[in-house]
Amino acid sequence: PFRPRLVHRIDKDTPGAVLVAKSLEAERALRMAFEAGTVGKRYLALVEGDLGLGPDRSMTLEDPIGPGRSGRMRVAADGKPSRTDVEVAEVFDGYTLARCSPRTGRTHQIRVHMAHAGFPLVVDPLYGRRDALRLSEFKSGYRAKRGMPEKPLIDRLTLHAHEVDVPPLPGSDRDTALTVTAPVPRDFERVLK
């Protein structure tokens, strides 16, 4: 019988692309590709602050990550080696849209690395400073309708698993890499506008 197998995971409140194997053989091949580092993942992350990365507009974060308290992860000298490549996609007043490519697969890796570097996700109740973003936080003169609470523009992580690159796999009839792209969700698009 058909039994799909989840090959990798993304954070609970992160929408986007995930790989699911349709057979045991495909699962094994994909897991081997992940272990060999030949699967590429790119996320869009809306973070606080201007990354100000200079002319090349990119950086690499290589702080080791290990377990912390209450389900949190943290940068720790005794943690596992971790690497995230970061590139500026767009800069806004006080915020940056970044393309983040984790080269290792640590729990909450992008969230931990960005927060440790001083650029937490705009919405991240665990590693950032807020659980929602409201228009009144950055639009001067904005007032909610009288007697109505202001609805958040977004009330989940400002992180999106945008693309996954899959190399040709053994036993596959495909001889070129495949890129899977998940469209940007409406709430994330609305925030960017």
Side-chain angles (χ1 to χ4, degrees):
F2 175 65
R3 244 186 79 212
R5 295 158 164 81
L6 189 61
V7 180
H8 70 109
R9 299 174 185 214
I10 56 179
D11 291 348
K12 179 180 163 189
D13 292 330
T14 303
V18 293
L19 295 178
V20 179
K22 292 168 54 175
S23 69
L24 183 58
E25 296 79 24
E27 178 187 17
R28 286 182 184 140
L30 284 167
R31 289 200 188 281
M32 287 174 46
F34 268 102
E35 287 174 18
T38 58
V39 175
K41 297 186 291 183
R42 283 177 299 288
Y43 289 74
L44 294 176
L46 184 63
V47 300
E48 294 184 8
D50 180 349
L51 288 176
L53 297 177
D56 67 351
R57 297 174 60 94
S58 65
M59 68 178 172
T60 297
L61 302 171
E62 295 185 291
D63 303 299
I65 295 176
R69 295 183 186 173
S70 306
R72 291 174 53 124
M73 302 301 284
R74 64 187 176 87
V75 167
D78 62 344
K80 292 183 179 180
S82 307
R83 178 178 166 195
T84 305
D85 294 332
V86 180
E87 177 184 316
V88 173
E90 192 169 348
V91 177
F92 305 98
D93 186 21
Y95 305 95
T96 300
L97 178 64
R99 284 188 197 91
C100 299
S101 300
R103 302 300 179 195
T104 51
R106 308 292 172 239
T107 301
H108 302 168
Q109 180 173 320
I110 293 170
R111 297 164 65 190
V112 171
H113 270 164
M114 295 306 290
H116 184 73
F119 303 100
L121 295 181
V122 171
V123 178
D124 187 344
L126 201 55
Y127 301 101
R129 62 182 186 93
R130 60 167 76 87
D131 60 3
L133 178 66
R134 292 170 176 75
L135 191 58
S136 60
E137 293 183 56
F138 59 89
K139 185 174 182 183
S140 62
Y142 175 82
R143 288 191 177 85
K145 291 183 182 178
R146 187 176 231 174
M148 300 282 290
E150 182 182 1
K151 290 183 181 178
L153 290 172
I154 191 166
D155 57 0
R156 62 165 182 80
L157 297 177
T158 50
L159 185 64
H160 173 62
H162 191 55
E163 294 179 329
V164 179
D165 295 327
V166 184
L169 301 174
S172 169
D173 57 355
R174 194 170 41 81
D175 61 353
T176 59
L178 171 70
T179 298
V180 178
T181 303
V184 177
R186 285 185 181 171
D187 58 352
F188 203 99
E189 267 187 6
R190 185 173 55 239
V191 169
L192 296 176
K193 286 181 183 174

